[in-house]
Amino acid sequence: MELFADLTTISVIQVIFWFLAGVISFYFSIGNARIWTSISLGFFLIFISQAYLLAPWSDYPRLAAIHYIIGTVAIMVMTHGFQEYYVFSRTLETGGSKTFVYLGTLAVTLASAVFVFINPEPTYNVLRNIKMIENANWVFLSLINIDMIRKIYLQIRDSDIARGFIAFGAVFVCILLWKGSELYLQVFCWDSDWHLFMQSIGAYHNVDYPGRVNFSIMVNQVGGLLSGLSVGGTFIYLFRLLR
């Protein structure tokens, strides 16, 4: 894979937006109540999972695999956070500590890295499989989070931060479009990684539905951009509201 071969202007802008959203969400997790920690940390990890697009060592297959796994950890941590908030909105009780959330997430990430390094170096096809698992997790857990956010909103709709959860709902709709469109392309072998894989083995791959492919690529790019923008805007709104 040629260095920066897949890097486009859209990808650079997307990573910049996720960097801004990641910094804001991580700072938000430090300066606010423990109940927000998992949600904020999950959004920060999305930036880490996307940052490999700009890394000069992005050709290294094991590093690419770790980035995809971090993306999966991100949505799992986030979903755990929204479930915690739903329980909190009903009982006003919360447990644990910020340190446990940080250390627990770090331990899972390190264990995933060890798993990647003790196994054979991932091939193009293996990396694509790992990326599909990441996207499938994002799609199904985003649907769960949208429903969870709806339930939280119904519990707190008279409070000042209720509109913040409407914004979170919009964020996950954008993420659903972003990750869902990529998963759609992968399922039908219309994604760029499959194209590279076929090239690597000297095979020809004909795409019979260019209209659907181009539309899905457009949805993927627009969804990714709107996801980063909406996350940054949501945390800025919540940060100002809770200060």
Side-chain angles (χ1 to χ4, degrees):
M1 189 182 297
E2 187 180 351
L3 187 63
F4 295 142
D6 296 330
L7 190 59
T8 64
T9 303
I10 293 290
S11 299
V12 174
I13 295 173
Q14 187 174 333
V15 173
I16 291 173
F17 279 134
W18 274 114
F19 170 72
L20 295 174
V23 170
I24 294 169
S25 61
F26 188 71
Y27 182 74
F28 187 86
S29 76
I30 296 174
N32 280 286
R34 213 291 292 164
I35 196 68
W36 288 100
T37 308
S38 299
I39 298 173
S40 304
L41 187 58
F43 279 111
F44 174 75
L45 288 177
I46 303 177
F47 161 66
I48 302 297
S49 71
Q50 292 295 301
Y52 80 97
L53 290 172
L54 301 181
W57 52 84
S58 58
D59 280 6
Y60 192 45
R62 284 195 170 93
L63 187 61
I66 291 171
H67 276 284
Y68 295 148
I69 292 173
I70 289 175
T72 305
V73 173
I75 184 63
M76 294 175 71
V77 171
M78 221 181 296
T79 303
H80 176 259
F82 280 112
Q83 288 175 338
E84 276 196 313
Y85 204 102
Y86 177 59
V87 173
F88 172 74
S89 69
R90 292 176 62 85
T91 66
L92 299 181
E93 293 179 357
T94 184
S97 66
K98 287 185 177 185
T99 303
F100 179 79
V101 175
Y102 291 134
L103 292 180
T105 304
L106 181 63
V108 171
T109 305
L110 290 177
S112 301
V114 170
F115 175 81
V116 170
F117 275 92
I118 63 175
N119 280 291
E121 186 172 271
T123 62
Y124 289 155
N125 207 27
V126 171
L127 282 177
R128 184 172 175 275
N129 290 340
I130 297 173
K131 197 173 181 181
M132 282 186 70
I133 293 171
E134 179 199 1
N135 285 332
N137 274 285
W138 271 97
V139 168
F140 292 112
L141 291 180
S142 290
L143 289 171
I144 290 175
N145 283 337
I146 289 172
D147 182 55
M148 194 65 63
I149 288 167
R150 180 186 65 83
K151 292 177 178 175
I152 293 171
Y153 174 77
L154 292 176
Q155 290 290 329
I156 64 168
R157 55 186 166 188
D158 295 327
S159 69
D160 293 334
I161 63 170
R163 284 181 292 181
F165 279 89
I166 295 176
F168 272 131
V171 168
F172 276 101
V173 170
C174 294
I175 288 176
L176 188 62
L177 294 174
W178 174 33
K179 296 292 187 179
S181 57
E182 187 172 24
L183 181 63
Y184 172 72
L185 291 169
Q186 290 172 324
V187 166
F188 287 95
C189 298
W190 292 336
D191 57 303
S192 59
D193 289 336
W194 179 259
H195 181 67
L196 288 173
F197 171 68
M198 296 298 283
Q199 279 187 331
S200 69
I201 61 174
Y204 176 72
H205 180 227
N206 184 38
V207 178
D208 295 325
Y209 302 94
R212 299 182 191 186
V213 172
N214 291 333
F215 179 74
S216 299
I217 292 173
M218 182 195 70
V219 171
N220 178 257
Q221 293 174 339
V222 172
L225 285 175
L226 293 179
S227 300
L229 274 175
S230 55
V231 170
T234 300
F235 277 107
I236 289 173
Y237 171 74
L238 289 171
F239 186 77
R240 295 178 61 181
L241 198 63
L242 295 176
R243 282 297 178 185

